[in-house]
């Protein structure tokens, strides 16, 4: 292995280590144990104490001190009625309970598709406690590809589905990433969303989905570079393709790819289907 290839492999290995650490946080995506819509009628919910409801604009929780609920932000006990309001797509790690420290389970309040829901995040979930890393394909330097980036004058909002059939999503496409794959003679054009500091995220289908990989994955690129001729390029490294949270839990509302983001090729790089539940 030459020096450049060895350095690329080492960087990828560091990326994988950091990725697995990020997934294995105490109340991260591997701890979701429920997704429940709140109703106008005050009622109990599964896997959490208290009585919950919403009037459409505000979510309300009523609990007694003996329920053991405390506010995540301050640790203050919940004894009576509290309320919170969110904008669509916002989330709030609201209350917690259980375990020796009273923090085993966090109840997340979320606004999705204009409706309030809660998700329970249990740090005792076997999906987390038995986690030993996401399986991946071997590193393939041929799937580190320089691609052209053609930005749109303005972002384009494209309706999409999500991992939850009751929640619709929107993909804000800022442009297209244009490239060719090794051994394939035609060009691909995939829609991209802009993330922090100008990075791009591409959500895509490929021929491995439903076999060795989840139903869709995503890959991010650094900020585009512009050469002397004014052409913008990005490095598209499919070895860094990762799963959305919905690959690990049925309680995610992760965005599906836009219609045109499907590759008629097998991208045997990046993360595979998690082995949980096998």
């Amino acid at each position: 292995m030459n020096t450049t290839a060895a350095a690329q492999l080492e960087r990828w290995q560091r990326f994988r280590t950091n990725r697995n650490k990020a997934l294995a946080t105490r109340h991260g995506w591997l701890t979701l144990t429920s997704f429940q819509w709140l109703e106008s009628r005050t009622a109990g919910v599964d896997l959490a104490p208290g009585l919950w409801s919403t009037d459409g604009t505000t979510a309300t929780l009523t609990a007694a001190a003996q329920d053991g609920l405390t506010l995540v932000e301050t640790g203050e006990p919940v004894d009576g009625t509290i309320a919170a309001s969110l904008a669509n797509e916002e989330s709030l790690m609201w209350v917690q309970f259980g375990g020796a420290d009273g923090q085993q389970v966090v109840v997340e309040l979320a606004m999705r598709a204009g409706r309030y829901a809660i998700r329970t995040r249990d740090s005792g979930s076997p999906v987390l406690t038995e986690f030993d890393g996401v399986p991946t394909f071997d590193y393939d330097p041929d799937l580190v590809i320089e691609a052209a980036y053609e930005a749109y004058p303005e972002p384009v909002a494209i309706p999409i589905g999500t991992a939850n059939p009751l929640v619709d999503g929107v993909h804000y496409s800022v442009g297209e990433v244009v490239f060719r794959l090794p051994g394939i003679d035609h060009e691909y054009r995939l829609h991209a969303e802009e993330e922090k500091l100008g990075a791009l995220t591409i959500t895509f289908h490929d021929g491995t989905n439903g076999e060795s990989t989840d139903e869709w994955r995503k890959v991010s690129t650094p900020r585009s570079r512009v050469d002397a001729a004014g052409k913008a390029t990005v490095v598209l490294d499919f070895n860094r393709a990762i799963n959305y949270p919905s690959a690990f839990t049925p309680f995610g509302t992760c965005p599906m790819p836009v219609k045109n983001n499907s590759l008629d090729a097998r991208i045997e790089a990046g993360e595979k289907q998690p082995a949980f539940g096998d």
Side-chain angles (χ1 to χ4, degrees):
M1 183 181 294
N2 62 41
T3 302
T4 300
Q8 287 179 328
L9 178 60
E10 184 180 357
R11 286 194 295 270
W12 178 72
Q13 289 170 334
R14 288 199 302 269
F15 168 79
R16 291 304 321 157
T17 297
N18 291 334
R19 163 68 171 162
N20 286 326
K21 285 181 178 178
L23 278 171
T25 55
R26 187 179 186 192
H27 293 111
W29 291 114
L30 303 185
T31 67
L32 292 183
T33 52
S34 74
F35 179 100
Q36 303 171 71
W37 297 109
L38 297 186
E39 304 292 344
S40 58
R41 177 178 60 86
T42 300
V45 297
D46 292 336
L47 305 180
L51 298 174
W52 303 74
S53 65
T54 178
D55 62 5
T57 59
T58 301
T60 301
L61 164 62
T62 300
Q66 57 265 32
D67 288 322
L69 288 165
T70 61
L71 294 173
V72 171
E73 185 175 359
T74 65
E76 180 183 355
V78 179
D79 187 7
T81 298
I82 60 174
S85 298
L86 301 176
N88 200 37
E89 296 302 317
E90 285 186 338
S91 293
L92 170 66
M93 299 301 183
W94 199 11
V95 294
Q96 59 197 355
F97 68 95
D101 62 359
Q103 299 174 9
Q104 176 177 326
V105 181
V106 165
V107 184
E108 171 195 4
L109 180 67
M111 171 71 89
R112 298 291 184 270
R115 297 175 62 189
Y116 279 103
I118 61 165
R119 289 195 286 212
T120 48
R121 293 174 178 253
D122 187 344
S123 59
S125 167
V127 178
L128 173 64
T129 59
E130 298 174 11
F131 178 68
D132 62 357
V134 187
T136 68
F137 293 97
D138 291 337
Y139 182 81
D140 185 350
D142 291 336
L143 286 172
V144 182
I145 297 167
E146 183 170 287
Y149 172 54
E150 299 178 1
Y152 296 150
E154 298 290 339
V156 177
I158 303 173
I160 56 171
T162 75
N164 186 319
L166 299 178
V167 177
D168 292 329
V170 178
H171 182 285
Y172 292 97
S173 182
V174 295
E176 296 176 11
V177 174
V178 185
F179 61 96
R180 293 179 185 272
L181 290 170
I184 296 177
D185 60 6
H186 59 270
E187 187 176 78
Y188 295 99
R189 307 179 71 91
L190 300 185
H191 290 266
E193 283 193 297
E194 188 172 57
E195 305 296 341
K196 294 179 180 178
L197 303 177
L200 302 174
T201 293
I202 298 98
T203 303
F204 67 95
H205 290 293
D206 74 272
T208 66
N209 295 164
E211 297 177 10
S212 52
T213 64
D214 195 43
E215 296 301 324
W216 64 88
R217 293 179 289 168
K218 67 177 177 177
V219 63
S220 296
T221 77
R223 187 173 183 171
S224 62
R225 298 170 296 181
V226 180
D227 62 20
K231 180 182 178 182
T233 61
V234 294
V235 175
L236 189 61
D237 185 352
F238 282 108
N239 294 286
R240 298 193 178 210
I242 64 173
N243 294 316
Y244 272 99
S246 53
F248 305 98
T249 171
F251 307 117
T253 57
C254 304
M256 292 181 175
V258 299
K259 183 178 180 180
N260 293 334
N261 277 25
S262 295
L263 303 173
D264 60 347
R266 297 178 62 85
I267 303 298
E268 295 183 328
E271 290 186 351
K272 294 182 178 181
Q273 176 74 45
F276 306 122
D278 288 356

